[in-house]
Amino acid sequence: MEQKWWQKENIYQIYLRSFYDSNNDGIGDIQGVTQKLEYFKSLGIGILWISPHYDSPMDDNGYDVRNYYKVSEDYGTLEDFRDLLHKAHELGIRIITDLVLNHTSDEHEWFIAAKDPQHPNHIKYHDYYIWQKPKFDSNGNKIKPTRWIGWFGDSTWEYNPPTDEYYLHIFSKKMPDLNWRNESLREDMKKMIRWWLDQGINGFRVDASNHLEKNWDFPDGFPGYENFSSIPRHHDYLQELGKEIFVPYDVLTIGESGGASKEEALKYAGYGSNEFNMLIHFGHCWADVDNHDPRLMGKWSQGNLRVASIKRSYQHWYEMLEGKGWNIIYWHNHDQPRVVSHYGNDSEYHDKSAKMLATSLYFMSGTAICYQGEEIGMTNVKYNQISQFRDVEVFTEYQNFLDRGFSKQEALEIIQSRCRDNARTPMQWNSEEFAGFSKHLPWIDVHSDYTSINVVSQNDDPDSVLNVYRMILKYRVENSDIMNGKVRFIELDDENHYCYENIGERKDHLILTNFREFPVSVNLSMISLEGYNLLYTNESKGMLLSKEVLLDGYSAYVYIRDKNR
Ligand code: NOJ
């Protein structure tokens, strides 16, 4: 089958607000990305995914869109965006943007009309959103239609007095959910999508794509996620977008969805699927949530790292899509902690574990997404006051933790280790004030470690984390065997190491990595070691392969076998 361009390139995800501030107002911007285009080239990147750049009151940093047709003044102008596209394309870099379909901002003109019975367009736009009448408790007091809890930890319902109704919001209350059953809404969305594609962008990462349909019976339940996640009918909407727009325009589409059955995985990301080309799934993102404190749910529940669960998640996706669809590999995006802090060791073994993590992931097949700052080993925040955090989710959850009996210090520590702001601190370019991100106090505090962890300090050191990322990411695009190979894990259930062969047409690669601080042994007796030669290690010297090998703390080795020799 002829390969598509997105099967031959690496993706870099840019969190616009924190990437590079070209006009020194403390906020990253589009011109800032344009000025750094050469940086991506040096990193082996061929595709940029840019987080929402649309006009927005920024309750959720742009995922709350006020006007889809306008570029946020925080980020620049449409001219800036066109200039970025033009210059990126000249360098052979393609650009995809975030496409937010599940909700708008409550300041979007549709919602302004929808919530106000006096508005001339009220009737049309009221049905663009999802409304329910209040229920009443036994004392006759108004109560919410259901006890559903949204993704930011509070109720999914907000009361709107002028209509005496509640509207649904599965994210913040400033992000009302759209009614995708409404045909006119779908037509408006399609018009907008075409408009952006006509600007020359190369595709989309489709936000919250598995939430577009809801359970319209609104049964009660707590937290009730099943009533607004992965309901089969959401595929109808994605099919419609795919058939009418994504496929005819022949652009890259990446969906976002937590989990999927095999049948669903193929619908989303199978070859010839109308919906997406790839899917961002989260099976490997929270491999350390086995602390059973009932006061902590989901990602907040901290626990021991289960390396096997990371491998099993990737294995599951490779099995579901083998020969039938294309995979994505990534460590994290702007919604999860920094990987070197989360799965590595951000103190004594910072550099070594960062290189180990790069090695373990980026020799696997599929298209890789590297998240901004990962390539220099940026770490989780060490803020010591809650007022330093910026994410809308932090504030509801912090209060939840206090309400559940945690002390302020405990609540702060839970937030610190898991919150989304970890991945959103300004990119660390150099050791000057504000990490060279801006000359103005940034919208969110720079990480205190910026004088030691930054691009300039790593640029010229061939053994820096940055240069190891450069080497591996470039190697991926120069060796199609990596992107297209078959990954076979070794001792899949082992909880300490992450080892596999990537079997290619011409070359095989053997990857041996240790996720622990202590030495770990690996049994290689099940595979043929003949012909393997060392390609890379984060140790000072190579290791002779034998049936049983011992990997030192956080060590990583890559061996290559050329089948034509
Ligand atoms: C997923 C995005 O990655 C996240 O940052 C955002 O808050 C929600 N979708 C809502 O748009």
Side-chain angles (χ1 to χ4, degrees), residues 148-305:
W148 298 355
I149 297 292
W151 299 112
F152 295 162
D154 56 354
S155 165
T156 57
W157 297 104
E158 187 68 17
Y159 186 60
N160 180 52
T163 56
D164 186 29
E165 288 168 311
Y166 285 88
Y167 64 85
L168 183 79
H169 62 89
I170 67 170
F171 296 97
S172 96
K173 65 177 182 223
K174 281 188 68 62
M175 298 156 80
D177 278 58
L178 289 161
N179 169 13
W180 272 78
R181 293 188 171 193
N182 183 305
E183 199 183 332
S184 167
L185 164 86
R186 297 203 302 277
E187 290 309 317
D188 276 344
M189 283 299 196
K190 286 187 249 177
K191 192 169 132 209
M192 177 274 290
I193 295 170
R194 288 193 183 99
W195 189 85
W196 276 106
L197 289 173
D198 290 339
Q199 303 299 316
I201 59 171
N202 304 100
F204 297 109
R205 174 267 193 185
V206 183
D207 184 64
S209 55
N210 66 324
H211 297 300
L212 300 186
E213 178 64 355
K214 317 291 187 280
N215 183 344
W216 283 78
D217 293 334
F218 302 105
D220 199 12
F222 181 85
Y225 301 144
E226 68 283 5
N227 296 302
F228 45 85
S229 307
S230 302
I231 295 178
R233 188 161 166 184
H234 78 277
H235 286 291
D236 295 357
Y237 311 136
L238 298 176
Q239 288 283 334
E240 184 174 327
L241 295 179
K243 280 188 198 144
E244 294 181 30
I245 308 178
F246 300 153
V247 174
Y249 272 83
D250 194 17
V251 287
L252 167 61
T253 51
I254 304 179
E256 186 204 28
S257 169
S261 62
K262 180 168 180 179
E263 188 190 313
E264 224 184 1
L266 292 173
K267 261 194 196 164
Y268 280 129
Y271 297 131
S273 143
N274 291 316
E275 299 186 12
F276 303 129
N277 304 114
M278 297 179 239
L279 194 75
I280 294 181
H281 47 82
F282 302 101
H284 63 283
C285 288
W286 300 104
D288 52 354
V289 287
D290 61 357
N291 168 351
H292 301 298
D293 185 330
R295 296 172 299 169
L296 294 174
M297 290 203 300
K299 71 175 183 182
W300 302 106
S301 161
Q302 324 200 23
N304 300 312
L305 174 59

Side-chain angles (χ1 to χ4, degrees), residues 356-386:
M356 181 281 290
L357 289 163
T359 311
S360 55
L361 184 76
Y362 294 116
F363 281 92
M364 301 209 302
S365 53
T367 297
I369 308 181
C370 175
Y371 179 71
Q372 115 186 1
E374 180 195 327
E375 74 279 16
I376 53 169
M378 281 180 64
T379 63
N380 277 358
V381 296
K382 305 267 182 320
Y383 297 157
N384 46 26
Q385 287 180 33
I386 201 71

